[in-house]
mmCIF file of all heavy atoms in Angstrom:
data_model
loop_
_atom_site.group_PDB
_atom_site.id
_atom_site.type_symbol
_atom_site.label_atom_id
_atom_site.label_comp_id
_atom_site.label_asym_id
_atom_site.label_seq_id
_atom_site.Cartn_x
_atom_site.Cartn_y
_atom_site.Cartn_z
ATOM 1 N N THR A 149 3.970 12.914 15.075
ATOM 2 C CA THR A 149 4.932 12.461 14.064
ATOM 3 C C THR A 149 4.382 12.655 12.662
ATOM 4 O O THR A 149 5.130 12.962 11.726
ATOM 5 C CB THR A 149 5.283 10.974 14.282
ATOM 6 O OG1 THR A 149 5.619 10.761 15.647
ATOM 7 C CG2 THR A 149 6.448 10.559 13.407
ATOM 8 N N CYS A 150 3.094 12.453 12.514
ATOM 9 C CA CYS A 150 2.453 12.647 11.209
ATOM 10 C C CYS A 150 2.660 14.080 10.727
ATOM 11 O O CYS A 150 3.035 14.317 9.573
ATOM 12 C CB CYS A 150 0.962 12.336 11.328
ATOM 13 S SG CYS A 150 0.060 12.499 9.770
ATOM 14 N N THR A 151 2.440 15.041 11.622
ATOM 15 C CA THR A 151 2.646 16.446 11.269
ATOM 16 C C THR A 151 4.125 16.726 11.023
ATOM 17 O O THR A 151 4.486 17.488 10.117
ATOM 18 C CB THR A 151 2.135 17.357 12.400
ATOM 19 O OG1 THR A 151 0.815 16.966 12.766
ATOM 20 C CG2 THR A 151 2.116 18.807 11.954
ATOM 21 N N LEU A 152 4.987 16.082 11.824
ATOM 22 C CA LEU A 152 6.421 16.280 11.664
ATOM 23 C C LEU A 152 6.909 15.781 10.302
ATOM 24 O O LEU A 152 7.809 16.377 9.699
ATOM 25 C CB LEU A 152 7.173 15.558 12.785
ATOM 26 C CG LEU A 152 8.698 15.732 12.804
ATOM 27 C CD1 LEU A 152 9.065 17.197 13.000
ATOM 28 C CD2 LEU A 152 9.317 14.871 13.898
ATOM 29 N N CYS A 153 6.319 14.688 9.829
ATOM 30 C CA CYS A 153 6.687 14.157 8.505
ATOM 31 C C CYS A 153 6.394 15.182 7.413
ATOM 32 O O CYS A 153 7.169 15.340 6.467
ATOM 33 C CB CYS A 153 5.925 12.857 8.224
ATOM 34 S SG CYS A 153 6.467 11.452 9.221
ATOM 35 N N LEU A 154 5.278 15.863 7.542
ATOM 36 C CA LEU A 154 4.931 16.903 6.570
ATOM 37 C C LEU A 154 5.865 18.098 6.712
ATOM 38 O O LEU A 154 6.290 18.697 5.718
ATOM 39 C CB LEU A 154 3.475 17.341 6.773
ATOM 40 C CG LEU A 154 2.409 16.244 6.660
ATOM 41 C CD1 LEU A 154 1.018 16.840 6.874
ATOM 42 C CD2 LEU A 154 2.484 15.554 5.307
ATOM 43 N N LEU A 155 6.194 18.429 7.954
ATOM 44 C CA LEU A 155 7.079 19.567 8.215
ATOM 45 C C LEU A 155 8.500 19.297 7.734
ATOM 46 O O LEU A 155 9.237 20.228 7.389
ATOM 47 C CB LEU A 155 7.072 19.867 9.719
ATOM 48 C CG LEU A 155 7.629 21.213 10.193
ATOM 49 C CD1 LEU A 155 6.870 22.367 9.527
ATOM 50 C CD2 LEU A 155 7.536 21.308 11.708
ATOM 51 N N ALA A 156 8.883 18.007 7.695
ATOM 52 C CA ALA A 156 10.235 17.640 7.255
ATOM 53 C C ALA A 156 10.503 18.062 5.814
ATOM 54 O O ALA A 156 11.665 18.259 5.417
ATOM 55 C CB ALA A 156 10.433 16.130 7.389
ATOM 56 N N ASN A 157 9.455 18.213 5.028
ATOM 57 C CA ASN A 157 9.629 18.656 3.639
ATOM 58 C C ASN A 157 10.270 20.037 3.555
ATOM 59 O O ASN A 157 10.900 20.376 2.554
ATOM 60 C CB ASN A 157 8.275 18.686 2.924
ATOM 61 C CG ASN A 157 7.721 17.297 2.657
ATOM 62 O OD1 ASN A 157 8.374 16.474 2.029
ATOM 63 N ND2 ASN A 157 6.522 17.037 3.141
ATOM 64 N N PHE A 158 10.099 20.834 4.609
ATOM 65 C CA PHE A 158 10.601 22.209 4.600
ATOM 66 C C PHE A 158 12.014 22.327 5.158
ATOM 67 O O PHE A 158 12.571 23.416 5.178
ATOM 68 C CB PHE A 158 9.649 23.114 5.400
ATOM 69 C CG PHE A 158 8.266 23.211 4.817
ATOM 70 C CD1 PHE A 158 7.285 22.289 5.161
ATOM 71 C CD2 PHE A 158 7.960 24.194 3.895
ATOM 72 C CE1 PHE A 158 6.008 22.363 4.611
ATOM 73 C CE2 PHE A 158 6.691 24.276 3.339
ATOM 74 C CZ PHE A 158 5.709 23.350 3.696
ATOM 75 N N ASP A 159 12.570 21.206 5.632
ATOM 76 C CA ASP A 159 13.924 21.209 6.155
ATOM 77 C C ASP A 159 14.923 21.228 4.982
ATOM 78 O O ASP A 159 14.821 20.403 4.069
ATOM 79 C CB ASP A 159 14.159 19.974 7.017
ATOM 80 C CG ASP A 159 15.523 20.007 7.695
ATOM 81 O OD1 ASP A 159 16.515 19.567 7.070
ATOM 82 O OD2 ASP A 159 15.593 20.457 8.850
ATOM 83 N N PRO A 160 15.901 22.146 4.991
ATOM 84 C CA PRO A 160 16.839 22.241 3.862
ATOM 85 C C PRO A 160 17.650 20.964 3.641
ATOM 86 O O PRO A 160 18.048 20.683 2.500
ATOM 87 C CB PRO A 160 17.762 23.406 4.277
ATOM 88 C CG PRO A 160 16.959 24.201 5.250
ATOM 89 C CD PRO A 160 16.113 23.201 5.989
ATOM 90 N N GLU A 161 17.916 20.189 4.712
ATOM 91 C CA GLU A 161 18.736 18.992 4.585
ATOM 92 C C GLU A 161 17.898 17.742 4.356
ATOM 93 O O GLU A 161 18.181 16.947 3.464
ATOM 94 C CB GLU A 161 19.601 18.817 5.833
ATOM 95 C CG GLU A 161 20.616 19.943 6.035
ATOM 96 C CD GLU A 161 21.454 19.732 7.266
ATOM 97 O OE1 GLU A 161 21.309 18.679 7.921
ATOM 98 O OE2 GLU A 161 22.261 20.631 7.591
ATOM 99 N N LEU A 162 16.853 17.559 5.175
ATOM 100 C CA LEU A 162 16.018 16.355 5.065
ATOM 101 C C LEU A 162 14.927 16.495 4.015
ATOM 102 O O LEU A 162 14.402 15.489 3.528
ATOM 103 C CB LEU A 162 15.379 16.029 6.421
ATOM 104 C CG LEU A 162 16.343 15.730 7.569
ATOM 105 C CD1 LEU A 162 15.571 15.523 8.867
ATOM 106 C CD2 LEU A 162 17.192 14.511 7.253
ATOM 107 N N GLY A 163 14.600 17.734 3.682
ATOM 108 C CA GLY A 163 13.507 17.963 2.749
ATOM 109 C C GLY A 163 13.955 18.669 1.485
ATOM 110 O O GLY A 163 14.887 18.229 0.824
ATOM 111 N N ILE A 164 13.284 19.784 1.191
ATOM 112 C CA ILE A 164 13.541 20.514 -0.053
ATOM 113 C C ILE A 164 14.025 21.922 0.267
ATOM 114 O O ILE A 164 13.306 22.699 0.918
ATOM 115 C CB ILE A 164 12.256 20.589 -0.903
ATOM 116 C CG1 ILE A 164 11.771 19.172 -1.238
ATOM 117 C CG2 ILE A 164 12.490 21.391 -2.165
ATOM 118 C CD1 ILE A 164 10.431 19.147 -1.915
ATOM 119 N N ASP A 165 15.203 22.226 -0.173
ATOM 120 C CA ASP A 165 15.772 23.554 0.045
ATOM 121 C C ASP A 165 14.962 24.594 -0.743
ATOM 122 O O ASP A 165 14.785 24.471 -1.945
ATOM 123 C CB ASP A 165 17.237 23.571 -0.407
ATOM 124 C CG ASP A 165 17.950 24.845 0.005
ATOM 125 O OD1 ASP A 165 17.429 25.558 0.877
ATOM 126 O OD2 ASP A 165 19.024 25.127 -0.556
ATOM 127 N N GLY A 166 14.458 25.585 -0.037
ATOM 128 C CA GLY A 166 13.685 26.644 -0.679
ATOM 129 C C GLY A 166 12.185 26.478 -0.559
ATOM 130 O O GLY A 166 11.426 27.404 -0.881
ATOM 131 N N LEU A 167 11.724 25.318 -0.081
ATOM 132 C CA LEU A 167 10.282 25.097 0.015
ATOM 133 C C LEU A 167 9.652 25.984 1.086
ATOM 134 O O LEU A 167 8.522 26.451 0.935
ATOM 135 C CB LEU A 167 9.995 23.627 0.318
ATOM 136 C CG LEU A 167 8.531 23.182 0.204
ATOM 137 C CD1 LEU A 167 8.052 23.290 -1.244
ATOM 138 C CD2 LEU A 167 8.359 21.736 0.698
ATOM 139 N N GLY A 168 10.390 26.203 2.180
ATOM 140 C CA GLY A 168 9.884 27.071 3.246
ATOM 141 C C GLY A 168 9.667 28.493 2.783
ATOM 142 O O GLY A 168 8.683 29.141 3.161
ATOM 143 N N GLU A 169 10.583 28.975 1.954
ATOM 144 C CA GLU A 169 10.446 30.327 1.416
ATOM 145 C C GLU A 169 9.318 30.399 0.399
ATOM 146 O O GLU A 169 8.667 31.438 0.241
ATOM 147 C CB GLU A 169 11.751 30.765 0.761
ATOM 148 C CG GLU A 169 12.898 31.036 1.729
ATOM 149 C CD GLU A 169 13.506 29.757 2.280
ATOM 150 O OE1 GLU A 169 13.226 28.680 1.723
ATOM 151 O OE2 GLU A 169 14.264 29.839 3.283
#
Side-chain angles (χ1 to χ4, degrees):
T149 311
C150 181
T151 310
L152 183 62
C153 289
L154 302 181
L155 195 58
N157 289 304
F158 297 88
D159 186 274
E161 296 180 4
L162 299 176
I164 300 173
D165 190 16
L167 190 65
E169 290 75 14

